[in-house]
């Protein structure tokens, strides 16, 4: 598939997809015309990249993680203790952020007088 279709299927901009390629996160084949040709695995890879980026990981960390992904499981070998430590630190950062957001929500709930009920949830 061409880059425009991959963009539509993943929600990532064409610019972002080119950046992922520059960073070694995607490796499309190049057609004789010079066009990039992505396979179905690229859709899954882009989704993984976007999730990991949204978790605050750098593209360098993601480049180390992606080769260790088997199906939907990430298997880190003993060869990458620095990556494990970095991921543990990032997890701690996310946990702190969740706790801060939960505390902010609790304060808003108390100011409102009761939790706000959103229909459909």
């Amino acid at each position: 598939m061409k880059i425009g279709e991959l963009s539509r299927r993943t929600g990532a901009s064409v610019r972002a997809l080119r950046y992922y390629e520059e960073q070694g996160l995607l490796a499309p084949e190049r057609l004789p015309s010079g066009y990039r040709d992505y396979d179905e695995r690229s859709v899954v890879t882009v989704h993984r990249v976007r999730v990991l980026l949204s978790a605050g990981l750098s593209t360098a960390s993601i480049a180390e993680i992606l080769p260790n992904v088997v199906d939907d499981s990430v298997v880190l070998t003993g060869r990458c203790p620095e990556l494990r430590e970095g991921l543990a630190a990032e997890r701690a950062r996310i946990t702190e952020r969740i706790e801060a957001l939960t505390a902010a929500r609790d304060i808003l709930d108390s100011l409102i007088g009761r939790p706000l009920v959103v229909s459909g949830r």
Side-chain angles (χ1 to χ4, degrees):
M1 83 185 78
K2 297 216 175 21
I3 197 167
E5 182 179 345
L6 182 61
S7 174
R8 282 187 296 281
R9 290 183 59 186
T10 61
S13 68
V14 169
R15 182 177 178 196
L17 295 173
R18 288 185 181 127
Y19 176 73
Y20 298 165
E21 182 182 357
E22 288 172 15
Q23 299 302 305
L25 305 176
L26 280 176
E29 286 189 43
R30 287 290 185 149
L31 300 176
S33 62
Y35 286 107
R36 294 167 176 87
D37 185 36
Y38 297 91
D39 58 21
E40 285 299 315
R41 292 174 300 188
S42 298
V43 174
V44 174
T45 299
V46 170
H47 285 299
R48 286 182 178 138
V49 167
R50 294 185 76 190
V51 166
L52 294 169
L53 284 170
S54 71
L57 296 178
S58 68
T59 55
S61 293
I62 295 169
E64 289 184 60
I65 292 169
L66 287 178
N68 297 298
V69 175
V70 180
D71 296 322
D72 283 331
S73 302
V74 177
V75 180
L76 297 179
T77 64
R79 298 184 325 234
C80 37
E82 299 86 11
L83 179 58
R84 243 182 233 284
E85 291 168 9
L87 292 173
E90 192 58 35
R91 184 185 188 289
R93 186 194 65 77
I94 291 169
T95 299
E96 287 176 15
R97 185 74 180 128
I98 290 169
E99 291 168 356
L101 288 170
T102 300
R105 184 191 59 203
D106 292 346
I107 290 169
L108 289 173
D109 285 347
S110 69
L111 292 171
I112 294 169
R114 60 180 163 74
L116 182 63
V117 177
V118 178
S119 66
R121 288 188 182 187

